[in-house]
Amino acid sequence: MIKVRVPAKVNVQLGVGGLRADGFHDLANVFFAVALGDEVTAEPGEGVTLTCSGPDAASVPLDDSNLAARAARLLAAHHGFTPNVRLHIAKAIPVAGGMAGGSADGAAALVACDALWGLDTPFETLLELAAELGSDVPFALVGGVALGRGRGEILQPLPVSGAFHWVFAVADGGLSTPAVFRECDRLREEAGTGSSEADVPTPDADPALLAALADGDPVALAAALTNDLQAPAISLRPALADTLRAGTEAGAIGALVSGSGPTCAFLAKDAEAAAAIAKSLEASGTCRAAHATYGPVPGARVH
Ligand code: ATP
């Protein structure tokens, strides 16, 4: 049996450009991999079968739409054989939570099946297959901290010093990523700025944010956190403003919605502060659960 651990991500910067003719948005996306993650196991089976455990297991699709199953099929098709594997996802990443949990499982299944089937696929090829599965999948293979351009799939690893301490407040129910992008466009139209590529400047990585990461400076990173999807996520789920406020009042030095939400991410000055913030958030009644964790950590790896 092969076991693969894979991290969730938080976007420490998520700059969203205008709506492109192909329906996507250009992004300046700084991904940060955190120790909160899923475990995917692969063992010999007949065809591709999938099971899932964990508090959110009931909302994970177990059919061929699951990114882990799609990854197994894609890898086998690339090598020209019919896949046989029994996959299990031990799910800790909130589902539809803006932490790329499905993408993480896709990356983990690529690595697990590659090891189970003894394929030794070059990492560059795994990255290409990952990009075919979805724009957030390559980052889950790479891990660490990386700047994603295009739809997020063109990755440049970024230098980081030390560890940063985070708390994630999990909401009840998910938010659909496409719905949050649509709300972003709608709010831009409503504000009169326009939402097309011609109206919105192409986003770029913030030099202050990159310096904060390289220096390992949590206070500077906290000041530089930005997410263009935060306002649309709060517009669709106004209670998220209460969660952000509760974390800040509990001592977080930075707070933002993670990706398309509804998970909220809080930066703490150290591990002790993170544990205290998680406890306060759970007591505040503004989230379903809160987890203290840290990062950056590597991408999907056999362990
Ligand atoms: P992102 O941050 O990449 O936008 P997300 O974290 O908000 O994603 P996911 O947890 O990846 O959202 O799930 C989004 C949807 O993808 C789910 O509602 C589910 O229907 C589908 N899905 C496919 N495969 C998986 C998987 N392995 N785990 C969870 N959801 C999956």
Side-chain angles (χ1 to χ4, degrees), residues 9 11 38 50 59-61 65-68 89 91 93-106 136 175 177 258-262:
K9 59 85 182 164
N11 309 81
D38 288 351
L50 181 66
S59 41
V60 174
S65 71
N66 192 295
L67 276 161
I89 303 170
K91 192 129 197 84
I93 306 175
V95 174
M99 298 189 76
S103 302
D105 299 340
D136 285 352
L175 269 177
T177 304
S258 178
S260 55

Side-chain angles (χ1 to χ4, degrees), residues 62-63 67 81 90 109 121 158 165 168 206 219 234 250 254 256 280 294:
L62 296 177
D63 59 11
L67 276 161
F81 61 86
T121 310
L158 294 172
H165 297 275
F168 291 93
D206 172 10
V219 173
I234 293 174
L256 87 172
S280 295
Y294 63 91

